[in-house]
Amino acid sequence: MISTDDIDRAVAVINEADSLALACHVGPDGDALGSMLALHHLCRAHGKASIASFPEPFVVAPHYTFLPGLDTITKPADFPAAPEVMITFDCGSLDRLGGLATPAQAAGELIVLDHHVSNECYGSINLVDADAAATAVVVRHLAALLGWPLDRDAALCIYTGLVTDTGRFQYSNTTPAVFALAEELARFDLPIAAMTRQLFEEHRFAYMQLVATCLGRAQLDKDLELVATWITADDLRRFDVEIEETEGLIDLIRRAAEAEVSCILKETPEGIRVSLRSISRVDVAAIAHRFGGGGHRYAAGFTTAGTVESVLADISDALREPS
Ligand SMILES: [Mn+2]
């Protein structure tokens, strides 16, 4: 729930600001990029100066390259050090902002716009709605309060957040309100089929061969109802695949009928990056939280030191303990 006080202050702060500095979380997904770019478009359409960025590594995953406005975003090195007003999107904690956490802490006002239940409400104004299917839903709401009608570019960006965070309108967060918003957005003559193919279906052949390797080595722990696999730095080199390309792999692993929990571990320069999904019984956000991460009940993640073997053993131990 967002307090009316926070909403009123956010609208006043945005109206009064000369410019807005927008940022989303590291390794941005469709909701993070879509939400940020939607407000970036609306700022431009309504004469509000804005700058938009996300932390290093400054790489957009290939699924999202169709998003309008990507050519207008700014490298994190060129982000203002102490913005007058900064807004973060889909970002549950300061550390998910990487190098942009410093400007966030120096900002005159920090508006946190999100839907993660684990959000640490680190802003001076927190627009965090854990019932919203996507951060993009909160952006739509804010635009209405600002009296900023959507345009096609903003609608396309918001739709991207909505369709990715609901898993193509299939996850349990797919409510009547989600379909109502999708209907509003689809009226902007969006290229639904082309977007769907790029977001969910299209991959380079090299990636499909990496997937074959990952599926081949996947492990099923029948007692824990856990299916797990991993991607090493050597795999990425061998198949010439960027780590951003592997974002959707968890959605393949989680199809295993025997698994309540599914897990992918990826070797990154920052440590082992873990994605967790569950079907019903297990709260993976609680598990991710133990390792310094966060997320949603059925989708969460964290990055930690260790090896694939040691981190997978730690996750198995956490699943064994009654929560
Ligand atoms: Mn999201």
Side-chain angles (χ1 to χ4, degrees):
M1 269 298 289
I2 304 176
S3 80
T4 48
D5 180 53
D6 274 334
I7 289 172
D8 293 346
R9 283 169 55 223
V11 168
V13 161
I14 291 171
N15 276 327
E16 284 159 24
D18 291 326
S19 65
L20 303 177
L22 316 178
C24 62
H25 64 71
V26 67
D29 57 17
D31 191 28
L33 284 172
S35 296
M36 177 177 75
L37 288 172
L39 202 67
H40 198 36
H41 285 297
L42 292 175
C43 283
R44 200 175 334 166
H46 296 90
K48 179 77 65 182
S50 62
I51 190 166
S53 187
F54 62 86
E56 294 284 353
F58 193 61
V59 180
V60 172
H63 322 288
Y64 309 124
T65 52
F66 65 87
L67 283 169
L70 282 177
D71 54 332
T72 68
I73 62 175
T74 303
K75 288 197 204 83
D78 298 328
F79 200 78
E84 175 192 1
V85 176
M86 180 163 165
I87 308 180
T88 68
F89 297 84
D90 203 46
C91 183
S93 60
L94 264 181
D95 62 305
R96 296 266 292 152
L97 282 174
L100 295 178
T102 313
Q105 286 171 302
E109 294 278 3
L110 178 62
I111 302 175
V112 171
L113 218 148
D114 190 23
H115 70 129
H116 288 89
V117 66
S118 58
N119 190 292
E120 293 172 3
C121 293
Y122 52 93
S124 56
I125 299 170
N126 298 290
L127 305 183
V128 179
D129 183 358
D131 294 326
T135 297
V137 174
V138 187
V139 172
R140 174 68 192 100
H141 186 47
L142 178 65
L145 294 168
L146 288 164
W148 291 357
L150 299 186
D151 57 24
R152 185 171 184 270
D153 283 348
L156 197 154
C157 291
I158 291 173
Y159 183 87
T160 299
L162 193 65
V163 73
T164 50
D165 267 29
T166 58
R168 307 194 219 188
F169 309 110
Q170 289 170 12
Y171 299 156
S172 60
N173 59 359
T174 308
T175 58
V178 164
F179 285 117
L181 177 54
E183 193 216 4
E184 181 196 3
L185 300 169
R187 287 180 185 279
F188 286 87
D189 191 26
L190 304 183
I192 303 280
M195 290 167 72
T196 302
R197 172 153 172 86
Q198 188 169 346
L199 283 170
F200 300 105
E201 294 174 357
E202 190 172 71
H203 284 288
R204 294 186 307 125
F205 188 69
Y207 170 79
M208 291 159 68
Q209 291 179 303
L210 168 66
V211 169
T213 296
C214 289
L215 289 179
R217 67 162 72 117
Q219 295 180 354
L220 174 66
D221 185 320
K222 286 188 177 160
D223 294 332
L224 288 177
E225 298 176 71
L226 168 69
V227 65
T229 191
W230 55 89
I231 300 171
T232 65
D234 185 56
D235 293 331
L236 296 176
R237 264 192 305 273
R238 190 154 61 96
F239 291 101
D240 190 25
V241 167
E242 301 291 331
I243 196 157
E244 289 79 15
E245 234 174 319
T246 67
E247 189 187 290
L249 184 55
I250 186 73
D251 292 316
L252 195 53
I253 300 298
R254 64 187 284 278
R255 295 183 186 193
E258 294 86 347
E260 161 65 16
V261 176
S262 46
C263 169
I264 293 193
L265 305 95
K266 299 175 186 176
E267 272 184 12
T268 76
E270 295 78 37
I272 304 294
R273 187 194 299 172
V274 178
S275 294
L276 292 164
R277 298 289 186 274
S278 68
I279 304 295
S280 61
R281 179 172 48 78
V282 176
D283 179 357
V284 289
I287 293 175
H289 191 72
R290 290 196 204 188
F291 297 94
H296 308 286
R297 179 179 173 89
Y298 303 120
F302 62 91
T303 301
T304 188
T307 64
V308 163
E309 292 75 19
S310 72
V311 174
L312 184 53
D314 290 343
I315 293 167
S316 301
D317 287 344
L319 283 169
R320 252 175 232 112
E321 289 170 26
S323 50

